[in-house]
């Protein structure tokens, strides 16, 4: 029987994809390709989902785990080093080809053709071009930044200090919840007709740090303001406030990209695939702080 094989299934996004896919197709049609069989057994053992061993560091294991896949969801690797990540993706695509996979669905990054966040974008562009060169049917899911990376417990520090320090100015950012991405991905996996398409899985609305300050003021009842400085001054202030230097540098790179207008691209693809607007940053934060909107 042909299968939908899901890589990265033990990760945050992959688990949600499997959860939503189970609502659309019979369990017998799903297999997961994972490097940690024990973790997978804990997650999927009682659901009767076929678990296969596949490690991005061992292409032959990937090839075996992809056999019989009519559709393969290739969730991008979390490896930090860009060249290593690209190599792993290329190996996985080659393994899929050898295994006779018909159609690869790949989780890329939103608006990379418009200059969005090059430190991540270049890895995904390289993978997208490899997929094109492979000759296989592909669907590219260009995922926006995870909203959870911005709407999380760390916001409490902004509330406590009453200030958000960035160098992002009034620049806009597009974020969506993993769960909305997972619903769209499960729909693409379960349905026909998505071959050789690229979807921008981003919101049709963006936000900026002034708006984030307003949302935090609303949910906390305390005044939170946003102050934007030059990159070098913001870096200094972040490090002074205790942010580790490497993380502060990464934040400045992102703020710079936001300020330059590279992160504010919008799309209706996600809402068309899930049949509603994605959960907004205000909804995520309000839910997090458990207050009515
Ligand atoms: N759009 C965004 O804002 C954003 C942000 C962060 C990351 N991402 C990308 O989106 C991907 C999925 O996100 P996520 O939140 O689900 O990440 P995650 O929770 O870290 O999950 C990563 C998955 O990759 C698996 N993996 C790691 N190394 C592997 C290897 N050598 N062989 C096989 N599997 C391996 C992990 O397996 P284990 O469970 O065994 O560790 C896990 O299942 C990330 O990997 C990253 O490429 C996107």
């Amino acid at each position: 029987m042909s299968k939908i094989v899901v890589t990265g299934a033990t990760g945050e996004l992959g688990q949600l994809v499997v959860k939503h896919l189970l609502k659309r197709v019979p369990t017998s049609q799903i297999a997961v390709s994972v490097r940690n069989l024990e973790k997978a057994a804990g997650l999927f053992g009682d659901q009767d989902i076929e678990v296969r061993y596949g490690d991005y560091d061992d292409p032959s294991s990937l090839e075996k785990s992809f056999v019989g896949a009519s559709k393969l969801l290739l969730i991008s690797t979390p490896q930090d080093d860009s060249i290593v990540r690209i190599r792993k993706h290329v190996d996985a695509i080659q393994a899929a080809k050898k295994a006779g996979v018909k159609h690869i669905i790949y989780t890329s990054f939103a608006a990379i053709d418009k200059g969005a966040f090059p430190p991540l974008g270049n890895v995904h562009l390289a993978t997208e071009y490899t997929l094109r060169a492979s000759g296989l049917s592909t669907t590219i899911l260009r995922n926006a930044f995870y909203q959870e990376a911005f709407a999380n417990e760390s916001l409490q520090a902004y509330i406590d200090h009453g200030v958000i320090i960035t160098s992002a100015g009034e620049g806009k950012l597009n974020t969506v919840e993993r769960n909305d991405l997972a619903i769209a991905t499960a729909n693409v996996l379960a349905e026909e007709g998505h071959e050789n398409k690229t979807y921008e899985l981003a919101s049709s609305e963006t936000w900026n740090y002034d708006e984030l300050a307003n949302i935090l003021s609303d949910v906390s009842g305390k005044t939170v303001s946003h102050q934007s400085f030059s990159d070098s001054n913001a870096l200094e202030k972040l490090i002074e406030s205790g942010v580790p230097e490497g993380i502060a540098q990464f934040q400045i790179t992102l703020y710079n990209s936001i300020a330059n207008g590279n992160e504010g691209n919008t799309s209706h693809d996600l809402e068309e695939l899930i049949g509603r607007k994605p959960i907004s940053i205000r909804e995520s934060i309000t839910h997090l702080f458990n207050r009515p909107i």
Side-chain angles (χ1 to χ4, degrees):
M1 174 193 226
S2 75
K3 295 264 186 182
I4 298 172
V5 175
V6 177
T7 66
T10 52
E12 303 265 1
L13 179 67
Q15 286 181 51
L16 289 166
V17 170
V18 172
K19 175 181 146 187
H20 292 295
L21 193 55
L22 281 167
K23 297 176 200 162
R24 299 287 317 261
V25 303
T27 313
S28 57
Q29 222 180 305
I30 304 172
V32 294
S33 166
V34 302
R35 66 170 168 181
N36 187 334
L37 292 171
E38 209 178 319
K39 187 174 175 185
L43 290 166
F44 308 115
D46 59 355
Q47 288 170 313
D48 233 14
I49 291 173
E50 186 189 349
V51 175
R52 302 176 175 184
Y53 174 70
D55 189 332
Y56 278 111
D57 292 313
D58 174 4
S60 65
S61 72
L62 290 181
E63 187 184 332
K64 279 186 210 135
S65 73
F66 296 164
V67 166
S70 53
K71 293 184 182 180
L72 168 67
L73 174 64
L74 206 57
I75 291 188
S76 58
T77 68
Q79 177 75 42
D80 282 341
D81 182 274
S82 293
I83 292 176
V84 175
R85 283 184 83 195
I86 292 168
R87 192 177 296 131
K88 286 182 185 185
H89 294 164
V90 171
D91 283 347
I93 293 163
Q94 201 160 33
K97 206 166 173 177
K98 283 189 192 163
V101 171
K102 300 275 177 299
H103 178 190
I104 299 183
I105 294 91
Y106 172 67
T107 62
S108 183
F109 190 64
I112 48 175
D113 53 344
K114 300 191 179 86
F117 208 49
L120 299 178
N122 287 332
V123 168
H124 294 292
L125 276 175
T127 311
E128 286 193 11
Y129 276 102
T130 307
L131 283 166
R132 281 196 216 174
S134 75
L136 295 169
S137 288
T138 57
T139 306
I140 307 294
L141 305 177
R142 287 190 178 156
N143 294 349
F145 276 114
Y146 294 155
Q147 202 144 281
E148 292 87 341
F150 301 86
N152 58 45
E153 287 73 15
S154 73
L155 292 175
Q156 188 61 47
Y158 294 145
I159 294 170
D160 294 344
H161 295 111
V163 64
I164 305 173
I165 291 168
T166 76
S167 56
E170 293 175 6
K172 296 282 194 175
L173 185 57
N174 199 317
T175 61
V176 292
E177 285 200 354
R178 275 192 195 85
N179 190 54
D180 284 340
L181 293 170
I183 295 170
T185 305
N187 288 344
V188 165
L189 290 171
E191 295 164 2
E192 296 308 318
H194 297 289
E195 289 85 353
N196 302 319
K197 294 199 171 153
T198 297
Y199 296 110
E200 293 286 340
L201 299 189
S203 176
S204 58
E205 290 167 15
T206 53
W207 55 272
N208 67 18
Y209 280 91
D210 292 341
E211 286 154 356
L212 180 63
N214 289 339
I215 297 168
L216 293 180
S217 301
D218 291 345
V219 297
S220 68
K222 291 172 69 177
T223 302
V224 179
S225 65
H226 169 226
Q227 294 175 13
S228 184
F229 297 89
S230 67
D231 285 346
S232 57
N233 285 349
L235 179 66
E236 208 175 296
K237 284 176 190 297
L238 287 173
I239 292 169
E240 263 171 28
S241 72
V243 178
E245 191 170 344
I247 294 176
Q249 293 274 12
F250 181 85
Q251 280 179 263
I252 297 297
T253 306
L254 176 59
Y255 296 150
N256 186 276
S257 195
I258 294 170
N260 288 330
N262 294 326
E263 309 304 329
N265 295 287
T266 57
S267 172
H268 290 276
D269 290 352
L270 179 57
E271 59 192 61
E272 278 166 20
L273 280 168
I274 66 176
R276 59 164 170 78
K277 278 191 174 297
I279 302 293
S280 69
I281 186 94
R282 179 174 280 276
E283 288 170 316
S284 294
I285 294 174
T286 304
H287 183 253
L288 187 70
F289 286 85
N290 205 16
R291 310 259 169 86
I293 300 171

